[in-house]
Structures are given as C-alpha cells and as structure tokens.
Amino acid sequence: MEGMDVDLDPELMQKFSCLGTTDKDVLISEFQRLLGFQLNPAGCAFFLDMTNWNLQAAIGAYYDFESPNISVPSMSFVEDVTIGEGESIPPDTQFVKTWRIQNSGAEAWPPGVCLKYVGGDQFGHVNMVMVRSLEPQEIADVSVQMCSPSRAGMYQGQWRMCTATGLYYGDVIWVILSVEVGGLLGVTQQLSSFETEFNTQPHPPSSCPVDVASSTFIIYSCLSAMVWVLKE
C-alpha cells in the first residue's frame, strides 16, 4: 500500500483479526481506540465502511488519505485543580472537576473547540463543555459540573479536547474519583463557594433592621463545624 507507513502492533492486529467480529460498534470502538481518539465514531464508520469493515485496511486508509491534510492542535495537561490525590467525596454529591491545560503548540486553537467525555465513568449528564481558543503556550482552567456515583468505590473517566470537525487532540485527561461515605470534597467545595460569595457581597448598612452579617457568620460557622465533625 502506498502512503504513510502505519506502525501497529502485529500481535494486537492478529489477535483482533482472529475474533472475526462483525459487530460494527465493536469495530468502530476499536478503530477509535487505535487512533488515540483522534476521530469521532462517525468518521471511524466512514473509513470502515469504505474498506468493507476491515479494521487494518481502514486504519491504512485513514493515514493514507487524511493525515497529510490534518493540522492537529496541541494540548498538554498541566495539573488537577480539584479532585487531587487523596481527596474523596460522598455518594450522590454534586461537585466541580477542574483541570489546568495548556496550548503547547505554535498556533492558536481553531474556534469551536470543546472538551468531551470519551470513556470510563461519566459522573452525570454533562458530556461536553466548550473551551475558548487558547493562544500558543497559553494556560487555562476548564471545569465540568459532575455528580458522584451512588456507591462507594474508586471510579475513573477520560476526557479529550476536540475540534469543531470532530478531530480529537492533545493529552487524555482523567477524572479519578474516590467515593466514600463521609468524604469531604462536596462539603469543602460548598464552603469555599459560600466564603467567596460572602467576601464579595457589600456590607449591609448600619440602619439595616436585620443583622445580615451576623447571620451569615453563624451559617459559615455551622458549615465549618460540619467539616470538623466529618473529619472526626
């Protein structure tokens, strides 16, 4: 076959060929995984259909016809801003997962890029968030509203950046979540949000008949006590 040489694991290809599967969903999923999630399921189906659903031929066709014309953006994972190592969260609890990412390439990202759920546990109904186009070497935080599973245990999910045309790019970024009864993350995030809101609110006038500041302080103290009790 003319075109780009594709370095695939022969043992993997032989193993998959021996399955003799005709399940198109399985072939699409495996094709997408072998490409490192660079192509969405519809794109995978196009190349598989073009090659009569032969996995190896479809991958060769992809690299022959698509790679020379693709300018892939760059993205590097920097760090977890929330849900760091050792943090846990109670079951059925809303939380915000935030990653810090960087455009590690020499060109700005195209418009319309987004962060998409690609595998593992999803943690709620949100499967995509729009991300602004970053300039070269620019760093930004990306957040997704999530909800912890109802059962205790360790869970993980994978997300990737994706262009408006369906091309995945950059590092796979992970959510690794420890769900525990008595976990603190949900409470501490709510406490942090409350503190931020309190600090940004204007102070009530001295003539105000209700002492809003004192009431707020009492609520804040109760939340702090809740965290202390959970720690015990």
Side-chain angles (χ1 to χ4, degrees), residues 63-216:
Y63 281 107
D64 279 344
F65 298 114
E66 291 295 319
S67 289
N69 303 317
I70 293 176
S71 176
V72 183
S74 298
M75 186 280 284
S76 294
F77 168 77
V78 178
E79 63 179 342
D80 291 302
V81 179
T82 62
I83 321 294
E85 184 177 356
E87 290 184 297
S88 60
I89 188 167
D92 289 319
T93 300
Q94 299 285 331
F95 66 97
V96 176
K97 171 61 187 177
T98 303
W99 301 271
R100 187 158 293 153
I101 60 175
Q102 181 179 27
N103 177 356
S104 51
E107 298 180 4
W109 288 351
V113 298
C114 63
L115 181 67
K116 295 184 73 172
Y117 162 77
V118 295
D121 300 295
Q122 188 171 335
F123 306 116
H125 300 295
V126 179
N127 60 10
M128 182 270 289
V129 291
M130 299 304 298
V131 179
R132 65 183 178 86
S133 299
L134 299 185
E135 295 298 320
Q137 306 307 311
E138 184 179 0
I139 294 175
D141 290 353
V142 180
S143 298
V144 178
Q145 182 72 44
M146 297 183 173
C147 183
S148 61
S150 58
R151 295 184 178 182
M154 291 294 297
Y155 299 86
Q156 62 183 28
Q158 300 88 48
W159 294 66
R160 287 201 76 182
M161 290 298 299
C162 185
T163 66
T165 58
L167 178 67
Y168 290 98
Y169 66 94
D171 295 339
V172 176
I173 56 179
W174 293 72
V175 189
I176 300 177
L177 189 64
S178 173
V179 177
E180 300 176 10
V181 175
L184 296 178
L185 182 62
V187 175
T188 55
Q189 283 199 352
Q190 292 170 25
L191 188 62
S192 175
S193 174
F194 181 85
E195 182 179 9
T196 301
E197 182 178 353
F198 171 71
N199 289 334
T200 56
Q201 291 296 320
H203 294 292
S206 57
S207 59
C208 181
V210 179
D211 192 346
V212 178
S214 297
S215 300
T216 303

Side-chain angles (χ1 to χ4, degrees), residues 30-39 44 59 62-63:
E30 186 66 10
F31 186 21
Q32 190 177 33
R33 190 186 68 79
L34 287 169
L35 292 179
F37 297 99
Q38 293 186 45
L39 199 61
C44 294
I59 292 174
Y62 169 79
Y63 281 107

Side-chain angles (χ1 to χ4, degrees), residues 22-25 27-28 31 39 41-59 61-62:
T22 57
D23 188 327
K24 293 182 178 181
D25 288 337
L27 287 166
I28 289 171
F31 186 21
L39 199 61
C44 294
F46 170 79
F47 284 101
L48 284 162
D49 187 64
M50 183 174 68
T51 55
N52 199 26
W53 296 88
N54 180 298
L55 181 62
Q56 189 166 4
I59 292 174
Y62 169 79

